[in-house]
Each structure stands twice: as structure tokens, then as C-alpha cells.
Amino acid sequence: MTSMSRARAARRIAAGAAYGGGGIGLAGAATVGLLVAQAQLARRRVGNGMSPHVPNADGLYGAAYTVPGQPALRLTMLGDSTAAGQGVHRAGQTPGALLASGVAAIAERPVGLSTVAVPGACSDDLDRQVSRTLADPSRVPDICVIMIGANDVTHRMPATRSVRHLSAAVRRLRTAGAEVVVGTCPDLGTIEPVQQPLRWLARRASRQLAAAQTIGAVEQGGRTVSLGDLLGPEFAANPRELFGPDSYHPSVEGYATAAMAVLPTVCAALGLWPAEEERPDASRREGFLPVARAAAEAASEAGTEVAAAMPSGPRGPWALLKRRKRRRVHATEPAPATPSPSRQP
């Protein structure tokens, strides 16, 4: 599918989400016996995504930066097993802990992490998660990171419904005063147990959903980062290295790679990135685009950020597409470059 056709499909899905229309399922009319059988086989091989052990990473990171009278920054993780960190065994290996450590080091301020993400969650659980996040008006997070969408595809939730729930979540969080970064739906076409033609359909559906999520989130004042690398080409090339033991959830290095893709955008949303980094760099093919086109390009290239720009243009709202510089994380390196942040339950 070309970038323009993906942009049109994403716009249709986002418009359907806004006006209550229908949606495009994972397989549509092609969901016949072969696909159903393959889906059931793949589900048995990768499990149901409900491992009993998810490390509790909540706490204070970067306590060494504490200054009397200066409150810690607040980071909340919302979404599914990817946001919770299912598949790793230590709290410090979860994406929330990696992001909190990285932000603390860059801001030179402690960061309090809370996690309301639930393994197995679909986008319709975001309303409950946002309510938990905003339960105490005096403790609204400075930044919320949402990672959601994979279960929407595997459960064949209509994309319009999925985007509607995500847009509402971003709107509520932004209205409350929190910055929001959405890690969009990863590319599910690279999960090892999934065979053709289901693999192709999963890739198509996840990329369409990622593009539509970008439109919905950006139009509500959030920023998005494409997480294609999470289960995308990089993972396909190194499945034993970047997938966990169940061949579905990321490994320690996989989560580190995803966290390092999101960290620059989180820092930019908090105003921690240098001003020159906020200007588009033509040499990295950055610039202002209609939001649907920016969303389609981001869905095709992992690690790409999309943020709201001019409120309108001849083809509707515009967005800034950025390909922020990030270093490759290797298993032999410490995850974020940070001076041993402390975690206090």
C-alpha cells in the first residue's frame, strides 16, 4: 500500500471514529476458514498475553536529583502489556522504568513513575485507565505515555472504535493538563508463529491502525511515535534477540529499543530538548505535512514522531513530522545513560 493510499485509509478511519461510523476489521471479507484456523493456531503458540508476572516498576527514579521545594516530575504509563513491561523479570527492564530513568537524567530532576497499563488491554480499557490516572486532581501527571493497539488488531476491534477510545483518552488527559505521547500500534506482521496470508493481513491492519491512531491523537493535542521497530523489521531480522521467550512480547533489549525511540519525544513534550532540535531538518526528511500524510509516513517508518503544527491548511490540519536522532541500544550497554537512578517504592 502506498503512502497516499494509506493516508486516505487512515483519514477514513479517523473520520469514522469522530462521527461514529463503522470500521475495517483485521481480515474483512477475507476472514474465512483458513484465516480463522491460522489465527487460532497462532494464539495457542504465542499464548493469551496474560502472564501472571509483570514487574512493579512504580516508584521514584533519580532521587539523587532531589532539590528541596522542587517536586518530582510525574510520568504515567497507560495501555497494554507493552506499556506494562510484560515479558521481563526485573522492574528496571520495563519501558516505564527506562523512560523515567532517562527523563530524570536529562531533566536532572527526580521522576515519579506510576503504571495503570494492563496486559491484554484493548483501547476500550483506556477510559478506565484515564479515570485512575486523574483520580487525584492534585497529582495530574506531567507526561503520560500510552502504548496500545496490538490487542485491538488481534481481537478484530473495528479500527474506528479503537481510534475513538484513544482520541477520547488523549483529550481527557490534555484537558487535565498532562502532556501525552502515544506509541502507536506495532507491526504485527512479524510475529513468528503467524503465517501467510494472516501475516500480511496483520501487517496491513496494524499499519492502518497506527496511521489512524496518529491522526486521532495529534488532533487532540498529543504526539505520537511509530513503534514499528517494536515488532517490525528490526525484530523480524533478530527475532531471537528482540522477542521474549513467548515470541510475542519484547525481550529486555526489545523494550530498551522501544523506550529509546519514545524518550526523545517525551523529553520534547516536557520542553527538555534543545530548541534547535525542534526545528525540522530537511536532511532527515523532516517537515510540515497534512496530518494524514504525516501519519501514513510515520506508520511506515518506526521511530518517527508526529506532532500538531498549524491548525489548518488547504487539505485540513497539518503536523510536524520528525525523525529524531536516537542511539541504538545493545544488550551489553546500560539502558538509558543515567547515573544509577534509585527506585523507592
Side-chain angles (χ1 to χ4, degrees):
M1 180 181 288
T2 66
S3 177
M4 292 304 296
S5 60
R6 187 177 292 116
R8 287 193 294 269
R11 171 54 69 190
R12 285 198 301 271
I13 293 170
Y19 298 108
I24 302 174
L26 169 61
T31 308
V32 289
L34 173 62
L35 300 182
V36 173
Q38 287 191 9
Q40 291 172 344
L41 177 61
R43 186 174 295 115
R44 284 196 297 270
R45 291 184 63 183
V46 302
N48 61 7
M50 298 298 288
S51 169
H53 177 72
V54 178
N56 178 15
D58 290 3
L60 187 69
Y61 291 77
Y65 297 118
T66 300
V67 174
Q70 184 183 55
L73 292 169
R74 297 191 183 102
L75 163 65
T76 299
M77 300 293 296
L78 303 91
D80 55 23
S81 57
T82 304
Q86 184 175 357
V88 299
H89 299 288
R90 293 200 295 272
Q93 298 169 337
T94 63
L98 296 172
L99 288 172
S101 300
V103 172
I106 293 168
E108 296 188 347
R109 286 178 64 180
V111 176
L113 171 66
S114 62
T115 304
V116 297
V118 179
C122 293
S123 293
D124 55 6
D125 190 54
L126 287 176
D127 181 63
R128 184 191 63 80
Q129 294 183 25
V130 171
S131 294
R132 284 189 59 193
T133 301
L134 302 178
D136 184 351
S138 68
R139 296 182 60 82
V140 173
D142 296 284
I143 183 81
C144 293
V145 175
I146 304 174
M147 296 181 177
I148 199 80
N151 295 314
D152 298 39
V153 174
T154 59
H155 288 74
R156 290 185 292 164
M157 176 183 287
T160 49
R161 182 183 170 199
S162 175
V163 174
R164 190 178 306 127
H165 285 293
L166 175 63
S167 299
V170 174
R171 182 169 59 249
R172 289 179 62 192
L173 292 169
R174 294 291 291 128
T175 300
E179 296 291 338
V180 180
V181 174
V182 177
T184 57
C185 181
D187 183 352
L188 297 179
T190 57
I191 299 175
E192 274 197 323
V194 178
Q195 302 299 318
Q196 298 289 14
L198 189 60
R199 181 188 294 265
W200 179 86
L201 291 165
R203 168 166 287 151
R204 180 174 180 268
S206 54
R207 288 190 176 184
Q208 280 189 352
L209 178 56
Q213 286 177 318
T214 295
I215 295 173
V218 168
E219 289 184 345
Q220 298 302 326
R223 302 183 186 219
T224 65
V225 179
S226 168
L227 290 185
D229 268 359
L230 189 60
L231 296 172
E234 186 173 352
F235 282 65
N238 303 284
R240 294 288 178 250
E241 181 181 358
L242 292 172
F243 279 122
D246 61 3
S247 297
Y248 185 85
H249 293 100
S251 65
V252 173
E253 183 166 343
Y255 276 124
T257 301
M260 290 306 98
V262 174
L263 179 60
T265 301
V266 168
C267 291
L270 291 170
L272 302 175
W273 230 230
E276 57 269 20
E277 271 291 312
E278 295 307 293
R279 291 191 290 268
D281 185 341
S283 68
R284 297 205 296 260
R285 295 179 294 116
E286 298 178 346
F288 297 97
L289 297 169
V291 66
R293 184 177 163 194
E297 290 201 15
S300 301
E301 184 174 345
T304 305
E305 173 190 324
V306 180
M310 294 166 280
S312 63
R315 286 179 284 178
W318 282 60
L320 172 60
L321 183 143
K322 289 189 68 65
R323 296 173 172 88
R324 295 188 182 275
K325 295 177 182 177
R326 61 186 177 92
R327 70 187 182 91
R328 175 77 178 257
V329 177
H330 298 281
T332 55
E333 300 177 4
T338 176
S340 300
S342 65
R343 185 175 71 90
Q344 300 171 353

